[in-house]
Amino acid sequence: MGKFGKLVTGAAVLAFGAVVFFRMNQEEAPLEAIPDPTVRVENPVEATIELKTGLTGTVTAAESVYVIAAGSGEVLETYVKLGDYVEKDQELFKIDNLQLDSAKIQLDAAKIQLQDAQTNLNRMKVLYESGDIAAQAYEQVVSGVEAAKLQVKGLQLAYDAQVDATVVKAPISGRLESFSVVEKNMLSAGMVGVISSEGSKTVNFAVSERVQQGIKVGDPFTVEKNGLEYHGTITEVGTMVDMQTGLFVVKAALEDAEGIANGSMVKLYVTAQKAEDVLTVPANCVNYDDGEAFVYTYDTDTGLATKVFVEDGLVDAERIEIESGLDYDDQVIVSWTRELYDGASVVAEFAE
């Protein structure tokens, strides 16, 4: 080996020895202890959980009545127009009822006959009391007067009906939402308009069997229309499925809804399911293991987390019903960390 090679070998030996000496004399840094994870803890609370369902309904007047023309003829005058508010028994229009004249003639003739029969009865009564006529003859005259009275009464009713047919009046107070009567035009007997009551309105909608089983008469509901919110109560819940839709028909009363036109489609919300005054925990603290719900609780004596299986119920956006597995004095861990498992040592922060 040459002189240069010996120098290189010697340098390598010295360097290795220096490294070994450094490592043997270096102090190892102590391992830092990993702190227990901090979790937030709170007790279950009693609450009510409601599950609302959005539906579509149709708004109608609480009461709608047809305007009926009993007779036919030329329309002589109209006193209202489409969209007017009318009072009960307010005159709406008048027609030239040709049958009215005929009814008046028959009534007047019957009244004359009744007057003649009554005059004859007065004469017969004097003769009967003096014994100049037999009782049978007198009774026939009395019967004739009674028959004349009945005839007048019947013809009076017929005449009054024709008077009503001549001047048609509003059957209820409300808004005239349909009106097909035109002055100077001929009019046939039948339906000529619709009057709808104002104030409260009715909402008609259909629900599935699941929703139908969860609602009842008297339950509140909410309607949204044009950015406004209206409230009401359910008044009827159908018990028979509609053959065309396969749904159950529901009716509800809507309060203070003058701003919604009859026939409007609206979005409404009903409570389909409800759990009142039940034990609940935050929904995000419940986990599932093979479909079984569980939570972690905190043991104040040991400082450990315990995995507890529970039976869950209704759940909304914030809380979930716990039907069994927990009591109100349990300390439920409501926050999550990777270090959380059954038997984990944790530091608890109690919710106020």
Side-chain angles (χ1 to χ4, degrees), residues 263-276:
S264 299
M265 299 291 291
V266 295
K267 185 73 174 180
L268 61 97
Y269 299 89
V270 298
T271 299
Q273 291 178 283
K274 186 176 184 179
E276 294 185 281

Side-chain angles (χ1 to χ4, degrees), residues 89-167:
D89 294 328
Q90 179 179 335
E91 294 183 354
L92 304 179
F93 61 92
K94 180 180 180 180
I95 64 174
D96 184 10
N97 186 0
L98 300 180
Q99 296 178 356
L100 179 63
D101 293 337
S102 175
K104 182 66 167 58
I105 292 172
Q106 293 180 46
L107 176 61
D108 290 343
K111 287 181 177 180
I112 293 173
Q113 291 177 0
L114 174 59
Q115 185 176 2
D116 291 343
Q118 187 66 54
T119 301
N120 186 41
L121 175 61
N122 293 336
R123 288 199 308 266
M124 291 298 146
K125 184 177 181 182
V126 174
L127 295 175
Y128 173 68
E129 291 176 349
S130 63
D132 293 332
I133 60 172
Q136 183 178 3
Y138 177 73
E139 290 174 358
Q140 289 178 348
V141 175
V142 172
S143 298
V145 171
E146 293 302 321
K149 287 181 179 180
L150 291 175
Q151 184 178 22
V152 169
K153 185 176 181 179
L155 291 173
Q156 183 69 58
L157 291 174
Y159 174 76
D160 292 342
Q162 293 303 324
V163 171
D164 291 339
T166 301
V167 179

Side-chain angles (χ1 to χ4, degrees), residues 32-305:
E32 294 184 4
I34 299 176
D36 291 336
T38 300
V39 294
R40 191 161 55 87
V41 175
E42 66 180 52
N43 296 109
V45 298
E46 185 179 83
T48 295
I49 295 179
E50 295 184 6
L51 297 183
K52 293 188 177 294
T53 299
L55 302 164
T56 301
T58 304
V59 175
T60 62
E63 183 181 15
S64 291
V65 178
Y66 293 130
V67 178
I68 304 294
S72 58
E74 182 184 358
V75 178
L76 300 178
E77 294 179 274
T78 57
Y79 310 118
V80 295
K81 62 182 182 299
L82 182 66
D84 283 353
Y85 181 86
V86 297
E87 297 288 349
K88 185 178 184 301
D89 294 328
Q90 179 179 335
E91 294 183 354
L92 304 179
F93 61 92
K94 180 180 180 180
I95 64 174
D96 184 10
N97 186 0
L98 300 180
Q99 296 178 356
L100 179 63
D101 293 337
S102 175
K104 182 66 167 58
I105 292 172
Q106 293 180 46
L107 176 61
D108 290 343
K111 287 181 177 180
I112 293 173
Q113 291 177 0
L114 174 59
Q115 185 176 2
D116 291 343
Q118 187 66 54
T119 301
N120 186 41
L121 175 61
N122 293 336
R123 288 199 308 266
M124 291 298 146
K125 184 177 181 182
V126 174
L127 295 175
Y128 173 68
E129 291 176 349
S130 63
D132 293 332
I133 60 172
Q136 183 178 3
Y138 177 73
E139 290 174 358
Q140 289 178 348
V141 175
V142 172
S143 298
V145 171
E146 293 302 321
K149 287 181 179 180
L150 291 175
Q151 184 178 22
V152 169
K153 185 176 181 179
L155 291 173
Q156 183 69 58
L157 291 174
Y159 174 76
D160 292 342
Q162 293 303 324
V163 171
D164 291 339
T166 301
V167 179
V168 178
K169 299 178 181 180
I172 63 170
S173 298
R175 188 72 58 184
L176 193 59
E177 294 196 309
S178 173
F179 194 55
S180 58
V181 179
V182 180
E183 199 168 294
K184 304 306 179 184
N185 282 9
M186 294 299 296
L187 183 71
S188 298
M191 193 273 289
V192 296
V194 175
I195 297 176
S196 296
S197 62
E198 294 204 320
S200 62
K201 295 181 183 290
T202 297
V203 182
N204 300 293
F205 56 99
V207 300
S208 65
E209 183 176 4
R210 179 184 66 83
V211 177
Q212 186 261 0
Q213 292 178 349
I215 61 177
K216 62 183 182 300
V217 173
D219 282 352
F221 75 103
T222 304
V223 164
E224 291 181 357
K225 183 67 174 179
N226 299 327
L228 298 177
E229 190 173 277
Y230 304 86
H231 303 277
T233 55
I234 294 175
T235 56
E236 296 181 29
V237 179
T239 57
M240 183 178 295
V241 173
D242 184 280
M243 297 302 295
Q244 294 182 340
T245 64
L247 301 173
F248 294 87
V249 176
V250 179
K251 293 184 179 180
L254 191 60
E255 303 166 358
D256 301 324
E258 290 83 356
I260 304 180
N262 294 332
S264 299
M265 299 291 291
V266 295
K267 185 73 174 180
L268 61 97
Y269 299 89
V270 298
T271 299
Q273 291 178 283
K274 186 176 184 179
E276 294 185 281
D277 304 327
V278 294
L279 185 149
T280 68
V281 297
N284 58 5
C285 76
V286 178
N287 300 286
Y288 294 87
D289 186 356
D290 289 333
E292 294 188 61
F294 69 90
V295 299
Y296 287 106
T297 60
Y298 175 72
D299 189 327
T300 55
D301 294 331
T302 64
L304 301 179

